[in-house]
Amino acid sequence: MPISLDDPKKFRSLVGQAHQVAMNMLRPISRKYDLAEHEYPKELDMLAAMIDGLAESGASEGAGAAGVRRDDKQDDGSGTQSKNGANLASVMSIQEMCWGDVGLLLSMPRQGLGNSAIASVADDEQLARFDGVWAGMAITEPGTGSDSANIKTTAVLDGDEYVLNGEKIFVTSGDRADHIVVWATLDKELGRAAIKSFVVPKGTPGMRVERLEHKLGIRASDTATIIFENCRVPAENLLGSAEVDPKQGFAGAMATFDNTRPLVASMAIGCAAAALDLTRELLADAGVEVDYDRPAYTQPAAAAKFLQLESDLEGARLLMLQAAWMADNRKPNSLEASMAKAKAGRVGSDVTLSCVELCGAVGYSETELLEKWARDSKILDIFEGTQQIQQLIVARRVLGLTSNELK
Ligand SMILES: Cc1cc2nc3c(=O)[nH]c(=O)nc-3n(C[C@H](O)[C@H](O)[C@H](O)COP(=O)(O)OP(=O)(O)OC[C@H]3O[C@@H](n4cnc5c(N)ncnc54)[C@H](O)[C@@H]3O)c2cc1C
């Protein structure tokens, strides 16, 4: 079943629509909400309603982060079927939206990373019950970031409810989302297998947003600290199975990342593509044309650098497409998801900052968005697992070592 490197024809109109939305609805308000940190981008309500409408009419397959449920149809092993599904549609449309603005994409109602967690881990009943919610995802704690197996938030079964206690930090959309998917341990002694995710509706007694962060980039997106104090949720809000299976290890909760890491890669690629597009124009204005028919070494240094950045980005894009395509075709993609995230995260930061450099004072000035994209892209190399953590995962997978053997 070979991967085809052509963009699937059936997604061209979706990608075209996403690009139009990015250009006409996100770009015009990009600087406004970069400067007005923590102000809700009300323009997104109309956009979210449009996306919902498209999804309901079936005209769109995965217009946002929520569209990452894996198809239940098994690979029939014939090696001939190749499916381009919701994962591929999502990365391609999110890339375009992030060409518009990453912070605004992250603020889009009902398209949170918690929605991806629900789509990845929930059973059919839960999928139906949580349909249409807007969910943030709360993993990180004051003492636990990269080592997410070490989380301390607890969930204790009491009758037909779980009681949650703990502190979560840096929750994207933690203030605005109407639900939060919280990672908590059923029993710290049982290690990572006991970590489960719980859907907590906003307004549940015992849950409160403590503060919002001021940030380097993606300022349109709210990032919250949330405290859980004897916060009770119905037992059926535990996503997936409550069984603690040490053989399964972290697999259940971690399945979320196989879906979300290609999405974060697509955000980095979209933002970097925006920077390259503008840089190409600014270089042309300055008399430097990038010529694809001549070797880079015969061209001005700025054009040669541009070609190198563009080819790095293309490498990241192909890894992203591969990871998403594998998810659509029910192939285990943890390795490829981490490779895509590592490459896109690093290249995204490199490209956007290099574009600032290539454009000099104009690149650094607020008159253009290049400096903003350089700030926005950094987070995409940090959240959902940092650059170093992705490299660690790739190394473990390639060398066949466990997390205890390679730390
Ligand atoms: C704007 C923003 C939004 C976020 N949104 C969310 C969200 O929605 N939900 C959520 O749960 N979290 C979120 N986070 C948290 C994010 O996922 C963490 O910051 C990230 O996982 C890193 O954890 P940490 O900050 O504790 O750094 P640490 O884990 O303390 O790492 C610090 C540095 O050490 C490196 N490092 C750590 N371990 C190793 C190792 N074994 N080998 C080599 N290097 C290592 C890291 O790569 C990093 O460079 C967000 C963070 C930010 C800044």
Side-chain angles (χ1 to χ4, degrees):
M1 197 197 303
I3 182 171
S4 160
L5 298 181
D6 286 338
D7 290 353
K9 274 201 202 83
K10 72 170 179 172
F11 297 148
R12 283 190 192 151
S13 72
L14 171 69
V15 168
Q17 279 167 7
H19 190 79
Q20 290 303 316
V21 166
M23 191 161 57
N24 298 317
M25 298 179 81
L26 301 187
R27 279 282 177 93
I29 57 172
S30 199
R31 180 64 80 188
K32 174 180 166 189
Y33 289 106
D34 179 46
L35 295 173
E37 193 176 19
H38 299 158
E39 192 178 309
Y40 178 64
K42 53 189 180 315
E43 293 87 343
L44 295 183
D45 284 340
M46 192 176 72
L47 189 50
M50 267 171 55
I51 291 175
D52 288 348
L54 283 174
E56 271 164 31
S57 71
S60 132
E61 187 169 6
V68 290
R69 177 92 176 154
R70 293 188 179 204
D71 196 318
D72 282 339
K73 214 171 102 210
Q74 294 292 332
D75 179 359
D76 70 357
S78 66
T80 54
Q81 284 187 343
S82 175
K83 182 174 161 40
N84 294 324
N87 287 277
L88 206 51
S90 289
V91 292
M92 291 176 68
S93 57
I94 286 174
Q95 179 188 321
E96 291 308 320
M97 295 287 270
C98 290
W99 182 90
D101 192 292
V102 177
L104 291 169
L105 181 277
L106 286 167
S107 308
M108 199 72 74
R110 295 178 289 288
Q111 307 291 332
L113 289 171
N115 290 89
S116 298
I118 293 171
S120 310
V121 188
D123 60 30
D124 288 345
E125 181 278 324
Q126 290 171 329
L127 267 188
R129 188 152 44 95
F130 296 125
D131 185 36
V133 305
W134 178 7
M137 183 143 105
I139 303 169
T140 308
E141 299 177 355
T144 308
S146 299
D147 52 344
S148 48
N150 195 29
I151 60 171
K152 301 200 172 45
T153 297
T154 53
V156 176
L157 190 60
D158 181 27
D160 54 5
E161 291 176 325
Y162 282 102
V163 184
L164 301 178
N165 277 290
E167 178 176 351
K168 294 291 180 182
I169 57 172
F170 287 100
V171 184
T172 297
S173 300
D175 189 34
R176 297 171 189 160
D178 48 40
H179 286 66
I180 302 292
V181 175
V182 182
W183 281 25
T185 175
L186 296 178
D187 183 348
K188 197 96 186 63
E189 301 288 301
L190 294 177
R192 55 186 66 195
I195 294 175
K196 301 286 173 185
S197 40
F198 300 82
V199 182
V200 186
K202 272 291 178 53
T204 303
M207 171 195 201
R208 67 171 195 277
V209 173
E210 187 77 350
R211 65 164 194 276
L212 297 177
E213 302 295 337
H214 293 282
K215 307 190 298 291
L216 173 75
I218 58 160
R219 288 184 175 166
S221 164
D222 62 310
T223 308
T225 291
I226 306 180
I227 310 281
F228 297 90
E229 263 171 3
N230 295 324
C231 176
R232 290 175 166 270
V233 290
E236 57 269 22
N237 283 21
L238 182 156
L239 288 176
S241 164
E243 193 193 340
V244 177
D245 176 2
K247 278 202 256 66
Q248 263 260 336
F250 219 5
M254 278 291 172
T256 309
F257 288 138
D258 297 345
N259 283 344
T260 55
R261 285 175 177 160
L263 293 178
V264 178
S266 74
M267 295 174 197
I269 292 164
C271 185
L276 281 177
D277 285 350
L278 180 55
T279 299
R280 187 191 286 105
E281 281 175 29
L282 293 171
L283 288 180
D285 290 348
V288 179
E289 291 286 350
V290 179
D291 185 344
Y292 292 91
D293 294 327
R294 279 198 298 137
Y297 67 86
T298 64
Q299 299 192 41
K305 175 77 180 175
F306 187 94
L307 286 167
Q308 177 234 313
L309 295 174
E310 205 172 42
S311 63
D312 273 350
L313 191 63
E314 187 60 11
R317 198 179 76 88
L318 292 175
L319 285 171
M320 167 199 83
L321 292 175
Q322 172 177 250
W325 178 88
M326 290 177 79
D328 280 338
N329 289 279
R330 299 190 63 74
K331 294 180 179 302
N333 72 338
S334 299
L335 170 65
E336 291 76 10
S338 283
M339 285 166 70
K341 166 87 167 66
K343 174 86 174 171
R346 181 167 48 77
V347 164
S349 293
D350 185 34
V351 166
T352 51
L353 204 50
S354 295
C355 287
V356 169
E357 189 177 293
L358 281 174
C359 297
V362 176
Y364 201 77
S365 149
E366 281 191 6
T367 52
E368 297 291 349
L369 288 166
L370 284 170
E371 61 79 30
K372 176 179 181 298
W373 292 329
R375 288 186 284 111
D376 286 350
S377 63
K378 187 64 207 172
I379 188 57
L380 304 169
D381 204 22
I382 296 176
F383 68 11
E384 298 294 295
T386 62
Q387 174 68 216
Q388 291 76 12
I389 293 304
Q390 304 306 333
Q391 294 205 21
L392 196 55
I393 294 168
V394 171
R396 281 182 195 141
R397 296 246 163 202
V398 170
L399 299 172
L401 298 174
T402 64
S403 49
N404 281 333
E405 289 165 334
L406 190 62
K407 294 186 183 186

